Amino acid sequence: MGKDVIIACDFASAEDVFSFLDRFTGKKPFVKIGMELFYAEGPQIVREIKKRGHKIFLDLKSHDIPNTVKKSMAVLSGLDVDLCNLHASGTIRMMEAAIEGLTRPDGTRPLLIAVTQLTSTDQESMEKDLLIREPIDQVVLHYAKNAKLAGLDGVVCSPLEAGKVHDTCGKDFITVTPGVRFADGDIGDQKRVMTPAEAKKIGSDYIVVGRPITAAEDPVAAYERCVSEFCD
Ligand code: C5P
């Protein structure tokens, strides 16, 4: 599994994302497109960024009945995204249906990973709102095992969980980890953070980095710093 830095392109319009990407002359970073940009610009934004030569993680976190997820995954597969995701809480059957929808007639498909429990959910809200009473780290690992059983390629998780996920699901099961900050940077609204070097040490396969790159004075230098701390 090749390690890579994925830039979270949390911009509100195509214009903003293109003026950001134009700064990377000669480089084609792996980018994440989230709900905000996708809902604002539609599938054309995926086609255009793909045409510019970037790999794309489309972060839409699907969660619906299996048949609907299967059909929507077939659309994403046709858009030729490289990585997409869903909520593991949609059940193993839903995840299996997603794999079916994503798989092209020639047997290829984009990578598919699962969100276990969102990092914004804590033990208290899980117990009170969702009536799930197990310890949250056990729930995360249980959902990761379900994702593996359904044939998914990995999970989105906190960098703090990546080691345990690999111990439980194997080292080839991909961990994609947001919540990354430079040692000398602002942590903003993230609570549990790690530096790119720490995320590398703990075994994350991909780090998702937003504001430390997008809000930097020199985004290209910040991206290169991430790559050299995490990948080299
Ligand atoms: O700007 P920052 O580096 O905090 O961006 C992190 C990105 O990863 C955002 O797009 C955020 O939505 C996403 N993310 C996250 N925590 C999760 C899942 C996704 O921060 N558990």
Side-chain angles (χ1 to χ4, degrees), residues 199-214:
K200 175 185 181 177
K201 214 180 290 169
I202 209 155
S204 298
D205 297 298
Y206 294 87
I207 50 173
V208 175
V209 188
R211 288 159 293 178
I213 295 174
T214 55

Side-chain angles (χ1 to χ4, degrees), residues 33-79:
I33 299 175
M35 288 186 241
E36 182 186 13
L37 187 60
F38 189 81
Y39 292 159
E41 299 290 349
Q44 193 54 23
I45 191 71
V46 174
R47 294 188 190 99
E48 285 177 26
I49 295 178
K50 208 54 212 184
K51 204 155 56 177
R52 287 172 167 236
H54 298 269
K55 283 190 171 177
I56 294 178
F57 169 19
L58 189 57
D59 180 16
L60 298 181
K61 299 187 180 73
S62 305
H63 187 175
D64 208 316
I65 59 171
N67 185 56
T68 301
V69 169
K70 178 177 171 175
K71 288 180 171 173
S72 57
M73 286 290 163
V75 177
L76 299 191
S77 194
L79 275 177

Side-chain angles (χ1 to χ4, degrees), residues 111-192:
L111 292 172
L112 180 63
I113 58 176
V115 175
T116 55
Q117 283 292 342
L118 291 167
T119 47
S120 50
T121 303
D122 60 11
Q123 185 73 37
E124 192 188 350
S125 54
M126 200 181 66
E127 288 186 15
K128 274 198 184 150
D129 299 356
L130 308 178
L131 289 183
I132 299 173
R133 303 200 195 281
E134 305 298 322
I136 194 161
D137 54 336
Q138 295 301 312
V139 176
V140 166
L141 288 178
H142 180 65
Y143 284 17
K145 280 191 261 180
N146 285 352
K148 186 169 176 168
L149 267 176
L152 270 68
D153 304 292
V155 288
V156 185
C157 62
S158 130
L160 299 158
E161 295 157 354
K164 274 193 207 153
V165 168
H166 279 139
D167 291 346
T168 308
C169 299
K171 69 173 177 16
D172 292 336
F173 196 65
I174 301 168
T175 54
V176 178
T177 62
V180 173
R181 291 295 181 266
F182 292 121
D184 52 1
D186 253 357
I187 74 163
D189 55 356
Q190 294 283 13
K191 295 216 160 49
R192 297 175 300 152

Side-chain angles (χ1 to χ4, degrees), residues 214-232:
T214 55
E217 219 165 279
D218 184 344
V220 178
Y223 170 71
E224 279 167 356
R225 180 176 171 192
C226 273
V227 170
S228 71
E229 281 193 28
F230 182 67
C231 306
D232 297 344

Side-chain angles (χ1 to χ4, degrees), residues 2-24:
K3 288 190 179 284
D4 209 348
V5 173
I6 303 177
I7 304 179
C9 286
D10 294 324
F11 296 103
S13 70
E15 198 186 344
D16 290 349
V17 75
F18 289 137
S19 66
F20 172 75
L21 292 176
D22 283 345
R23 303 176 74 143
F24 291 80

